């Protein structure tokens, strides 16, 4: 099964876990893992080290999927670089469009260019790895703060963990509380990763990616600050591994660029797309059909003539009735 085919399945599973109250099902296992590492190390920072070890293990398991995703994103970026002349024409058409129909035609032309050249508009992005890690985030958060689980007082592991984790720290950072310095460090590491990911990318694409590159460090800073430092330490360790992953992709980029240049044939369809000569294929999926129907309803002007005619006829009938009543009143007065 392709990775992109896993995303809706994983999302459904995540939603079910959330609404059934089982999103913290990993908490007791993660708590036991922390206790085992603490007993092995006999160190005051043992729980923090156990979180970093957990981060390394999770990232190692997900590494093939993440590298595959990063490789696909890089290939899509290289294809989009080759499509820039056509996309520039469409952008100019969007700027000069005066009517809603012209704007819609320009937007559809952009989709035609991507589709005809087999390029994803999402740039190869995939959310499977994030969805897979969400139960780990939740489980780790609950393992450090067991009291957030409903009925935790009746769970032996939760009562024991609550007493042991209360004073746990990692080089002075209280793991059960949030830490500003850890949040800043996480944001800085993600900012460095965003900078490294821009290396070797054309200026046009850098401008398009700048907003996302700045949003990610800000978002990770906020997430690290507003959660406990245990989960924040997981984010920080994950950011370090992401830098190593980005360095690998940067090493691959020249080879991937050469591969795309040799195998990718650009189809110049921008003029036909802007002229409306390319017909979109029939939608196959349920969501695609719903989107197509909604778009068709928006594009089709509503026929209000019959309603106006009926309103005019009703008004004329009301006027004739008034005139008839007025005439009857005048006859009676005579």
């Amino acid at each position: 099964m392709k990775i992109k085919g896993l995303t809706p399945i994983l999302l459904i599973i995540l939603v079910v876990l959330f609404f059934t109250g089982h999103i913290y099902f990993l908490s007791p296992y993660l708590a036991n893992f922390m206790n085992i590492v603490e007993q092995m190390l006999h160190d005051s920072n043992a729980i923090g080290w156990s979180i970093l070890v957990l981060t390394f293990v999770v990232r190692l398991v997900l590494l093939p999927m993440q590298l595959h995703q990063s490789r696909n994103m890089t290939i899509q970026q290289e294809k989009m670089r080759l499509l820039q002349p056509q996309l520039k024409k469409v952008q100019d058409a969007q700027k000069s469009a005066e009517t809603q129909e012209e704007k819609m035609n320009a937007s559809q032309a952009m989709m035609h260019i991507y589709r005809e050249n087999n390029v994803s508009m999402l740039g190869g992005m995939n959310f499977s790895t994030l969805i897979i890690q969400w139960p780990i985030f939740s489980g780790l958060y609950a393992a450090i703060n067991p009291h957030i689980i409903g009925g935790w007082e009746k769970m032996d592991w939760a009562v024991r963990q609550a007493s042991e984790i209360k004073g746990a720290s990692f080089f002075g950072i209280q793991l059960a509380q949030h830490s500003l310095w850890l949040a800043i460090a996480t944001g800085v590491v993600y900012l460095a990763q965003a900078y490294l990911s821009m290396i070797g990318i054309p200026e046009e694409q850098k401008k398009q990616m700048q907003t996302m590159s700045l949003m990610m460090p800000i978002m990770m800073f906020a997430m690290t600050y507003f959660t406990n430092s245990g989960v924040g330490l997981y984010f920080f360790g994950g950011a370090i591994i992401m830098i190593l992953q980005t360095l690998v992709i940067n090493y691959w980029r020249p080879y991937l660029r050469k591969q795309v240049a040799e195998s990718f044939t650009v189809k110049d369809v921008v003029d036909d797309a802007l002229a409306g000569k390319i017909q979109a294929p029939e939608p196959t999926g349920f969501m695609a059909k719903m989107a197509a129907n909604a778009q068709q309803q928006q594009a089709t002007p509503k026929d209000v003539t019959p309603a106006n005619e009926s309103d005019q006829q009703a008004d004329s009938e009301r006027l004739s009735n008034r005139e008839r009543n007025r005439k009857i009143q005048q006859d009676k007065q005579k």
Side-chain angles (χ1 to χ4, degrees):
M1 181 183 292
K2 294 183 179 180
I3 292 179
K4 64 180 182 180
L6 286 174
T7 303
I9 298 175
L10 294 173
L11 185 59
I12 293 173
I13 294 174
L14 182 64
V15 171
V16 171
L17 288 174
F18 181 80
F19 283 103
T20 57
H22 293 88
I23 193 66
Y24 304 121
F25 74 98
L26 290 177
S27 300
Y29 306 104
L30 296 178
N32 290 335
F33 178 78
M34 293 178 190
N35 293 330
I36 292 173
V37 174
E38 185 178 15
Q39 293 173 6
M40 290 174 59
L41 296 180
H42 296 289
D43 186 78
S44 59
N45 300 314
I47 293 181
W49 287 118
S50 69
I51 294 173
L52 291 178
V53 170
L54 174 67
T55 306
F56 175 77
V57 171
V58 171
R59 293 286 182 166
L60 186 63
V61 172
L62 295 178
L63 185 61
M65 186 181 295
Q66 290 176 326
L67 287 177
H68 178 76
Q69 175 182 336
S70 298
R71 178 181 178 275
N72 286 343
M73 288 180 63
T74 305
I75 290 175
Q76 294 295 325
Q77 289 171 359
E78 291 301 318
K79 289 182 177 181
M80 290 175 69
R81 181 177 64 86
L82 297 175
L83 293 177
Q84 279 302 315
Q86 297 186 63
L87 299 178
K88 182 67 168 57
K89 280 188 178 182
V90 174
Q91 290 171 356
D92 293 340
Q94 287 177 329
K95 291 178 182 178
S96 62
E98 297 180 355
T99 65
Q100 188 66 28
E101 183 179 358
E102 291 176 348
K103 293 179 181 179
M104 186 177 296
N105 288 337
S107 299
Q108 290 178 346
M110 178 116 24
M111 291 188 288
H112 288 319
I113 293 171
Y114 282 122
R115 187 182 63 251
E116 294 295 325
N117 287 277
N118 195 25
V119 175
S120 171
M121 295 186 68
L122 295 177
M125 292 180 62
N126 190 275
F127 301 98
S128 296
T129 55
L130 179 61
I131 296 174
I132 291 173
Q133 292 182 79
W134 197 262
I136 300 174
F137 303 154
S138 303
L140 188 59
Y141 186 87
I144 297 174
N145 294 295
H147 59 272
I148 68 172
I149 304 175
W152 69 276
E153 302 93 340
K154 300 178 182 179
M155 304 176 185
D156 294 337
W157 75 267
V159 174
R160 182 175 63 253
Q161 183 72 359
S163 61
E164 293 178 356
I165 202 71
K166 188 175 182 180
S169 63
F170 185 70
F171 294 101
I173 298 175
Q174 296 296 317
L175 296 179
Q177 302 174 9
H178 61 80
S179 169
L180 176 61
W181 293 110
L182 182 59
I184 293 174
T186 303
V188 169
V189 175
Y190 269 93
L191 188 63
Q193 187 272 334
Y195 171 78
L196 291 173
S197 65
M198 291 288 192
I199 296 176
I201 294 179
E203 291 298 326
E204 296 82 2
Q205 289 182 314
K206 282 184 180 180
K207 293 177 182 179
Q208 297 174 0
M209 298 172 62
Q210 278 179 351
T211 303
M212 180 61 69
S213 299
L214 292 175
M215 284 298 297
M216 182 59 71
I218 294 173
M219 184 177 68
M220 294 310 301
F221 165 81
M223 290 179 64
T224 304
Y225 179 74
F226 287 108
T227 188
N228 60 55
S229 295
V231 178
L233 195 59
Y234 180 91
F235 292 152
F236 177 79
I240 298 294
I241 296 175
M242 282 186 66
I243 286 182
L244 300 177
Q245 179 182 321
T246 304
L247 292 175
V248 172
I249 291 298
N250 288 345
Y251 175 78
W252 277 356
R253 190 178 296 277
Y255 301 96
L256 295 175
R257 180 172 295 173
K258 182 179 178 181
Q259 176 186 344
V260 171
E262 293 175 351
S263 60
F264 181 57
T265 302
V266 177
K267 295 181 181 179
D268 192 354
V269 297
V270 60
D271 294 330
D272 291 340
L274 288 173
K277 296 180 180 180
I278 301 178
Q279 296 295 328
E282 290 292 331
T284 55
F286 175 73
M287 295 300 295
K289 289 181 179 179
M290 288 184 61
N293 291 334
Q295 185 176 6
Q296 185 178 4
Q297 290 177 1
Q298 291 179 355
T300 303
K302 295 181 179 180
D303 187 5
V304 296
T305 304
N308 290 339
E309 291 179 353
S310 62
D311 291 342
Q312 292 175 1
Q313 184 178 1
D315 291 340
S316 62
E317 289 179 356
R318 283 194 293 269
L319 288 173
S320 62
N321 289 335
R322 289 175 185 172
E323 292 177 356
R324 187 165 48 251
N325 292 334
R326 191 181 300 113
K327 188 176 182 181
I328 294 172
Q329 291 291 338
Q330 292 175 354
D331 294 339
K332 288 182 178 180
Q333 290 177 0
K334 290 180 181 178

